[in-house]
Structures are given as C-alpha cells and as structure tokens.
Amino acid sequence: MDIDVGPVDPSVLYEQDLHVSSAVWEGQERGLLRCQEHTSLLHQWKLTDEQIKLVDKAGFGFFRKIGPMSLNNSLISALVERWRRETNTFHLPLGEMTITLDEVALVLGLEIDGDPIVGSKVGDEVAMDMCGRLLGKLPSAANKEVNCSRVKLNWLKRTFSECPEDASFDVVKAHTRAYLLYLIGSTIFATTDGDKVSVKYLPLFEDFDQAGRYAWGASALACLYRALGNASLKSQSNICGCLTLLQCWSYFHLDIGRPEKSEACFPLALLWKGKGSRSKTDLSEYRRELDDLDPSKITWCPYERFENLIPPHIKDKLILGRSKTTLVCFEKIELHFPDRCLRQFGKRQPIPQKVKRRDRKNRRLDDLDTSMSLACEEWAERGDHIVDSPGGGNVVDDGAYMEWYARISITKLYREAFLESQVMNMIACMREFEEAAPGIALERLSPVEREVMESVKDTFANSLTFGGWQEVAVNSGYGKRRRRNEQTPTPNIGGGNDLSSLLLQKDDA
C-alpha cells in the first residue's frame, strides 16, 4: 500500500512525488549521498607573499584560510532530505530555515555585495586559448587533462602548486589564477564531476581588482541552493557545492551532531576546523533527531556572540541577508527567500507569500520562467527589498503560522517502526506468492520441483497465519510492495525450512 504522508495542502511542496522523502516513507532507502567537495589537498599549495596579496585582492583572503574540512556525510544526507527546492528552505518540525546571504559572509568570509557572476559556456578551442593566455600552459587532451572545456584539478595542482622563487610577475599571476581556479572548483563551484573545474571561470581572474568586485558569496549560495535542490530528488545519489558552508550552518543552528568549537576567529567556519570528523551516527539516527527537534535544539541567531570578530566591511553588508532577491552564477538562477525564515533574524514569522511555481522544463531559461537579464536587474535592486516583520524576539509563534505550516509541510521522515515495516514488506510479497500459487500448473513440474513448491506454499501459509499476521498484513498502512530487486532479505518467521534453503535443495537435486 502507498503511504500518504502529505502535505495536506500541496500548493507549496508541489514536487512531493519527486522528493526523496516520498521514497523514504516507502522504505526505499538510497543510502548516504556521495559528497563532492574536494578540499583535502588544498594545503599542498605553497603560496608566496605576492600570491597571497593577489588572492586577497581577488576577494578570497579570508576564504583561503579555511582549507580542508572533514565532512559528516550522514548529517549532510539527513539535512538534504529536509531541503525543498520549491522554497529553497529546510522544512523542519518548528518551521522553515535556510542558509542566507549574511551567513555566507560570516561563515566563509566571501563578499556578498557586488557584481553578479555571469557568462556563458565555452567550447574546447576557446578553453584552450584561455589556458594559454591566462595560465601560460596548456593541459593535454591526450593525457585526459582537459575534456569538454573542463580541466582536471590534479593537473592544476601538479603544474602550478609551487611558484618559482625567481618568477616574473606575469608568471606569479598565472600561478595565482590557477590556484584560484582550483580553489573555487573544489569548493564553492564544485560539481558532481568531482575532479574537474570549468575553464569558463578563468577569465574572472584576468584582472584581480575586478575579481574583487564580484559577489562571490552570492554566487556560491546560488550553486549550493541548486546542488541541494538536485540532491533532494529521490533519483540522485551525489551532492556538490560548498558543503563546508552547509555543514557549518547546521553546527551553528542545530544541536545535532555538533562537535566542540575551536577558538573563535574569522571566518567563522574556522570554529569547526578539524571538528567535522566522520560521525559514527548513521543516517536513520540523524533523521530521527531532526524529527524530534525541539526549541532547545535550535539556535535561531547564533552569530551575535561573534560580533567583535567580524571585519567592518563584512559587517556593513550583513543586512543583505534579509534581501528577497535573485542569486546568479553563470546559467544558474536561484531565489533567496529570507521572508520565510525571519526568526533567524530575531523576528517573528508571519505566513509568507506564495512562491511562484518554477518551470522546470524550460531549460533555455535554466529552470526559471525569467531571463538572465531580469535576474541581474533584480540583483541590482537587492538593497531595495529588505524584508521585515513587526515585533522581535526568537520565540516560536504557535498560532497562525504553525497552523498554516502543518498543512503545507512534511516534518516527519523517520519510520519509528522500521523493523515492522520491513516485516510488512516481506509479508506483502508472501501474500502475492500465496495468491499466485494456485495458478501454477504443478503437473508440469518434476517431482522434486513439485515437492519444493508444496513446501514453500505450506511455509508461507503457516507464516501468514501465525500470530494473526494475515490480518496485520491486510490492515497495515506500511510501505508499498517493492519490485523484486528492491526486497530486503529477511529471516524465516514460520519455523520451517526457509525459502532459500528449499531452493538450494532444488538446485542440488
């Protein structure tokens, strides 16, 4: 049987049938997501003082200090199950939460105010020309160092990780561009390709002064929103984007899998440096903890205590965290909805405005029924769309908002009777066999096959009637029947020979 887990009102979460939560409730586990962020080798880059100055000028002075971060795949996978791309928010028991622009600036130290990062894809010939002009060296197609205008991260590190001491300034700039391309390709713009980065980003570092005027943080958030949305679909098994940001966001806001903090410094991701060890807690346990989330486990405004660490030029732009605007990164266009998460700004949460449905089939406009030029116009007006609400404090209003939220959302994913659900799946399959068995022409079987079939029928019949299981199987609301290749092996509960043993006896005969 199918389980109708909601939402009661599907006007907001209109893609429920595609979402991973629908599969979870049907008992179809996809396992842990494969996290595609490759920061483990960042420390092998040896930057000179000249290079560090150029990196600072390009806007990555704070970000480069974060370096490698160990990821908790189980926690990340559990968080993704709560993400909804319809609203670009996490749907948790006490309401919606999300990663906002100000948090990108605080956690990563990236600029969230500036020019949007736009451009178009490039072909192989143009990509090779860019490499020759801006890096001074060409990757080898024969050695598979470049493919479809993407270069391997390993080639960048092997070729440019150490700048010669006597290098000219042009060579220093080339090596710095290679480092920055590697840095963004392994973190904020990481893709499911894993070990490659698109050359289309390279011209952004042609002029280091201009690079410093881009809103890198806004583009990083656009890419993470897109990655979370893709990974939340039940058909997906990977996640990319800046997972360091995602994990740190969770540590700041949710007391789930949270390690002890390191010494406070900026950017704030460094508080968790080396603390994200691979947890022994499995996905189902994190899922249960998120289901049971209560106010004592949520910190709505976690950054107030670190105010004295925030550089003035970062602090001046934090108001953009409340900007209801459009985020852009090349072909990606994503919407920023702080109005749905005002408690993260110390304000009461009213019922938010309806979200316009996205046209996912309109690939030419990259999944949104708006043009890139319009998206850039909206970004240009980001300062004019700061959302607010009357009142203050971070106490959850259990009135109209929570009543509305209960109708439009799904807040429970953990199957509390998981073992029982597996038994129910097994019983459903046994019942299917029992119903089909009378149609089997036993006279066409050999004596041994007939004996095996009769034993199987007797075993299933005894199991289904033992202890009232037949009635339970009929009336249970657990899980729909699985396809043959999706069944979970289960032990015999009837007391006689199990099916596998009987079939082995048949084969031996």
Side-chain angles (χ1 to χ4, degrees), residues 232-420:
S232 70
L233 302 179
K234 61 185 177 183
S235 60
Q236 301 300 305
S237 59
N238 298 324
I239 183 171
C240 56
C242 192
L243 303 181
T244 291
L245 173 60
L246 171 60
Q247 181 167 286
C248 289
W249 178 90
S250 176
Y251 289 161
F252 277 114
H253 284 284
L254 309 176
D255 189 9
I256 294 178
R258 177 191 287 169
E260 294 182 4
K261 295 186 182 74
S262 298
E263 185 178 351
C265 54
F266 193 85
L268 298 183
L270 292 172
L271 270 73
W272 313 108
K273 180 72 172 178
K275 300 295 183 178
S277 58
R278 298 183 184 279
S279 173
K280 294 182 180 179
T281 305
D282 63 18
L283 171 58
S284 63
E285 179 61 20
Y286 281 128
R287 186 182 293 154
R288 183 190 64 78
E289 289 190 52
L290 287 170
D291 271 4
D292 296 339
L293 205 61
D294 61 48
S296 68
K297 297 287 187 179
I298 297 179
T299 305
W300 294 102
C301 305
Y303 308 106
E304 294 173 342
R305 71 191 76 173
F306 307 114
E307 188 172 352
N308 62 326
L309 298 176
I310 305 170
H313 75 280
I314 295 285
K315 189 180 297 186
D316 291 344
K317 304 299 176 60
L318 293 182
I319 193 173
L320 290 179
R322 290 195 282 123
S323 174
K324 188 175 182 180
T325 187
T326 303
L327 309 174
V328 176
C329 183
F330 274 77
E331 74 283 357
K332 295 180 178 66
I333 302 173
E334 291 290 339
L335 300 178
H336 185 242
F337 291 121
D339 59 312
R340 307 186 72 87
C341 308
L342 285 172
R343 284 172 290 177
Q344 292 178 219
F345 303 97
K347 300 180 181 298
R348 293 193 179 276
Q349 180 62 59
I351 296 175
Q353 295 178 353
K354 289 185 178 180
V355 176
K356 188 176 182 180
R357 289 199 178 202
R358 300 185 180 188
D359 181 7
R360 299 287 178 185
K361 297 180 180 179
N362 192 349
R363 303 304 301 177
R364 184 178 66 85
L365 298 179
D366 194 38
D367 300 342
L368 289 175
D369 56 355
T370 184
S371 67
M372 181 62 71
S373 60
L374 179 57
C376 289
E377 288 177 10
E378 292 176 354
W379 173 251
E381 299 171 352
R382 57 195 176 277
D384 299 330
H385 300 283
I386 305 300
V387 297
D388 204 346
S389 70
N394 56 11
V395 179
V396 177
D397 181 0
D398 59 357
Y401 169 75
M402 290 305 296
E403 194 174 306
W404 165 84
Y405 183 68
R407 294 197 310 272
I408 64 93
S409 189
I410 297 172
T411 60
K412 300 290 184 182
L413 295 186
Y414 181 73
R415 295 171 67 94
E416 296 178 348
F418 181 74
L419 177 60
E420 185 179 354

Side-chain angles (χ1 to χ4, degrees), residues 416-436:
E416 296 178 348
F418 181 74
L419 177 60
E420 185 179 354
S421 73
Q422 298 306 301
V423 173
M424 293 306 149
N425 281 326
M426 180 187 68
I427 290 174
C429 293
M430 293 169 67
R431 291 182 61 244
E432 285 183 349
F433 174 85
E434 188 184 41
E435 293 167 2

Side-chain angles (χ1 to χ4, degrees), residues 112-123:
I112 58 171
D113 192 27
D115 298 336
I117 295 178
V118 296
S120 57
K121 296 180 180 180
V122 297

